[in-house]
Amino acid sequence: MLFNSIHFVIFFAIVTPAYFLLADKHRWKLLLLASCYFYMTFVPVYLLILGFTIIVDYFAGILIENAKGKTRKLYLVLSLVANLGVLVFFKYYNFLNDNLTALLGSFNYSNHIPYLTILLPIGLSFHTFQAMSYTIEVYRGNQKPERHFGIYALYVMFYPQLVAGPIERPQNILPQFHEKKYFSYENLRAGMHLMLWGFFKKVVVADRLATYVDAVYNNSDKHSAASLLLASFFFSIQIYCDFSGYTDIARGAAKIMGYDLMINFRRPYFAKSIKEFWQRWHISLSTWFRDYVYKPMGGNRVSQLLFYRNIFVIFVLSGLWHGASWTFILWGVLHGSFYVVGMIIDNFKKKVPILNVDLGFIGSIYHIGMTFLLVSFARIFFRSTSIEQALNICRDVLTWKGGGLFIGPKSNMYYSIMVIAILFMVEIYQEYYPEGKFSLFNNPYKIVRHATYVAVVLMIFLFGVLNYSQFIYFQF
């Protein structure tokens, strides 16, 4: 079920009031049933896959707590193998098989392992990582195993963040399912604000930018360097608004019922370095890799060479997490390279004081611009369907392939620039005046506040009421 559909509006309008009308002891049942229905609207049979991992991890958590010594680790390993096995089979089987075929072919051998037509269960990477965080935290002693099977199932399946995150930790969300929730006007207002802003980012910004980006990237060989460059910049904004828009809607829907999901984005395009960018972008994933892969490998408490290795491992895994394609792996390698080179430059500046000069506002603008440029360059590989296409786009931009600037149907380029300007005017205010009273939906003047509501709602319905486009991160 897409958030940006009439189907969801009806679903939300039924489930949320029903939640508060039910007795507290029955609310988890409603949420679990609603979450099952929400997921089954995509491909019903894949609910069985979720059921399998839920059963495995529920009992694994209890067994880990009751076991001692190496047996505890054995149960954890079995749980992780089950989860990763499902993920690898559905997401990476054909990718691995294709690469094996190419490898054997280079030695004149044939690969007889069959190619399978497998439909990737929606959001598999998200709920697999959330499930694994549970058993890992139980093993580490940071989380008591959940004895209530229904509550544990709800932890994995909670519909707002089921298919595109944020990837929650059990310490945050599980205790909330045991708390009694009361209707709160403040929660309603805060949740509706988040949902409205999320819909604006998805429907008004991301989906409009997509028409320009798709038109250019689907025929990239026929477009000029200027068009390719603009489409790449637009894609950086598109994917941010698409993904963070989903997160805002998810957090808003949960907030109305009294649940607090973690913040997944903190205005990443205000970052002044790649390191800071990853502290602001997809926070639930970057912290997952930090806590469960990077730190166990030694983190930064190792030699400089091993530290750089750890950084690259994390980014390559992040690339693989996003998709079974070499374009995603190369995207991860690029981010790892940017990250490491940035740290080397920072360390060099510290040793040469004359280079470590604070340039104030001009310096901030420069670093923000350079970070956005690097992120957008890497996005070429993320958006391209093949490495060949990505390299051709890079070549055409670097050699400045001639031709006019593509405007798009119905002057779509001009509209895109306008909505991007609105987006960043709001985000500039949020970034530099986070506690200010004159925010988007909380203006103290009622007429201004209501005018804002009306304007945002009208734009959402005007540009998105019949446009049920899927969220980009559903594919992951």
Side-chain angles (χ1 to χ4, degrees):
M1 186 186 305
L2 297 175
F3 279 167
N4 53 325
S5 68
I6 297 298
H7 192 178
F8 174 74
V9 173
I10 297 170
F11 169 86
F12 180 75
I14 293 172
V15 171
T16 307
Y19 173 82
F20 288 107
L21 290 173
L22 276 175
D24 184 65
K25 64 180 180 179
H26 297 304
R27 288 176 177 176
W28 69 267
K29 300 173 187 176
L30 171 68
L31 287 181
L32 185 56
L33 287 172
S35 298
C36 289
Y37 173 76
F38 182 89
Y39 194 69
M40 289 173 66
T41 57
F42 295 108
V43 181
V45 71
Y46 283 134
L47 189 64
L48 298 175
I49 298 170
L50 264 176
F52 167 74
T53 57
I54 286 170
I55 292 170
V56 167
D57 294 328
Y58 170 75
F59 286 106
I62 295 172
L63 291 170
I64 288 169
E65 184 190 45
N66 294 335
K68 296 181 180 179
K70 293 182 179 179
T71 308
R72 295 181 73 252
K73 191 170 187 177
L74 175 62
Y75 288 134
L76 172 66
V77 169
L78 290 174
S79 169
L80 297 180
V81 168
N83 282 276
L84 289 172
V86 169
L87 182 63
V88 169
F89 176 75
F90 282 96
K91 191 167 185 175
Y92 303 104
Y93 174 88
N94 287 327
F95 172 70
L96 295 172
N97 199 22
D98 287 342
N99 282 277
L100 179 61
T101 299
L103 178 63
L104 292 175
S106 65
F107 295 101
N108 295 320
Y109 290 103
S110 298
N111 177 19
H112 299 291
I113 299 175
Y115 182 90
L116 300 178
T117 303
I118 304 172
L119 181 63
L120 178 66
I122 197 163
L124 182 62
S125 296
F126 286 94
H127 49 72
T128 297
F129 271 37
Q130 181 155 315
M132 288 195 294
S133 71
Y134 168 76
T135 49
I136 294 172
E137 291 298 330
V138 171
Y139 175 79
R140 291 179 174 179
N142 298 327
Q143 173 67 40
K144 298 291 290 183
E146 178 56 61
R147 301 282 175 168
H148 191 302
F149 180 77
I151 295 295
Y152 175 73
L154 186 57
Y155 160 74
V156 178
M157 294 197 61
F158 189 41
Y159 87 81
Q161 43 88 224
L162 172 61
V163 294
I167 304 168
E168 284 290 347
R169 304 298 174 84
Q171 297 95 320
N172 177 42
I173 197 70
L174 270 174
Q176 296 188 59
F177 290 134
H178 289 282
E179 297 169 355
K180 187 170 183 177
K181 302 296 182 182
Y182 298 93
F183 175 79
S184 164
Y185 176 74
E186 286 303 315
N187 284 344
L188 175 64
R189 187 173 67 171
M192 289 303 296
H193 290 175
L194 274 171
M195 293 182 76
L196 274 177
W197 186 233
F199 279 120
F200 177 86
K201 286 197 284 187
K202 166 61 178 172
V203 172
V204 180
V205 184
D207 288 350
R208 297 308 96 203
L209 292 177
T211 60
Y212 186 92
V213 173
D214 292 346
V216 173
Y217 267 82
N218 290 345
N219 297 281
S220 57
D221 58 320
K222 298 177 182 178
H223 286 280
S224 67
S227 300
L228 292 169
L229 196 61
L230 185 62
S232 299
F233 290 150
F234 277 5
F235 180 64
S236 287
I237 308 298
Q238 177 201 346
I239 196 170
Y240 164 61
C241 287
D242 192 283
F243 192 15
S244 69
Y246 181 96
T247 301
D248 287 344
I249 299 168
R251 291 181 61 230
K255 184 68 176 178
I256 290 171
M257 293 184 290
Y259 298 99
D260 291 311
L261 301 181
M262 72 177 293
I263 296 173
N264 213 16
F265 293 87
R266 288 193 177 94
R267 296 170 294 281
Y269 293 135
F270 288 87
K272 299 181 181 68
S273 67
I274 294 296
K275 179 180 179 180
E276 185 185 352
F277 174 81
W278 280 101
Q279 293 169 347
R280 291 169 172 258
W281 175 276
H282 203 173
I283 299 167
S284 63
L285 179 66
S286 58
T287 54
W288 197 100
F289 278 122
R290 180 197 67 195
D291 294 341
Y292 301 133
V293 181
Y294 174 72
K295 287 184 178 179
M297 291 175 64
N300 59 1
R301 303 181 307 278
V302 292
S303 67
Q304 198 75 0
L305 188 61
L306 290 178
F307 169 59
Y308 293 151
R309 178 209 64 181
N310 294 346
I311 295 294
F312 271 101
V313 167
I314 292 302
F315 280 108
V316 169
L317 289 176
S318 180
L320 269 174
W321 181 90
H322 282 87
S325 169
W326 284 104
T327 55
F328 292 115
I329 294 173
L330 189 51
W331 170 81
V333 169
L334 285 170
H335 269 278
S337 302
F338 298 154
Y339 195 106
V340 169
V341 170
M343 296 193 70
I344 292 172
I345 292 173
D346 286 343
N347 290 334
F348 180 72
K349 284 182 177 179
K350 291 176 183 177
K351 297 176 182 179
V352 184
I354 194 173
L355 297 176
N356 198 25
V357 179
D358 184 5
L359 298 177
F361 177 74
I362 298 299
S364 294
I365 294 298
Y366 169 77
H367 289 297
I368 289 172
M370 284 301 298
T371 301
F372 180 75
L373 189 63
L374 291 173
V375 169
S376 297
F377 170 70
R379 291 277 185 222
I380 294 173
F381 293 85
F382 196 99
R383 177 61 180 79
S384 296
T385 56
S386 66
I387 291 179
E388 180 183 11
Q389 183 191 20
L391 292 176
N392 287 338
I393 290 173
C394 293
R395 178 203 62 203
D396 290 344
V397 170
L398 291 173
T399 58
W400 202 252
K401 179 182 176 182
L405 181 63
F406 178 66
I407 304 300
K410 298 180 180 178
S411 301
N412 186 259
M413 184 193 76
Y414 299 122
Y415 168 81
S416 298
I417 293 172
M418 179 190 73
V419 294
I420 288 173
I422 295 172
L423 170 76
F424 278 101
M425 280 192 293
V426 173
E427 293 217 330
I428 286 171
Y429 187 90
Q430 292 173 336
E431 178 71 14
Y432 295 105
Y433 303 97
E435 303 300 327
K437 62 180 180 179
F438 289 91
S439 62
L440 182 63
F441 295 115
N442 293 319
N443 194 288
Y445 299 105
K446 185 180 292 187
I447 188 171
V448 176
R449 190 166 66 246
H450 289 176
T452 302
Y453 291 145
V454 171
V456 171
V457 170
L458 282 177
M459 292 182 77
I460 290 169
F461 275 88
L462 180 63
F463 296 110
V465 69
L466 297 177
N467 180 36
Y468 302 156
S469 61
Q470 185 164 290
F471 289 82
I472 293 173
Y473 265 67
F474 276 16
Q475 63 185 292
F476 307 131

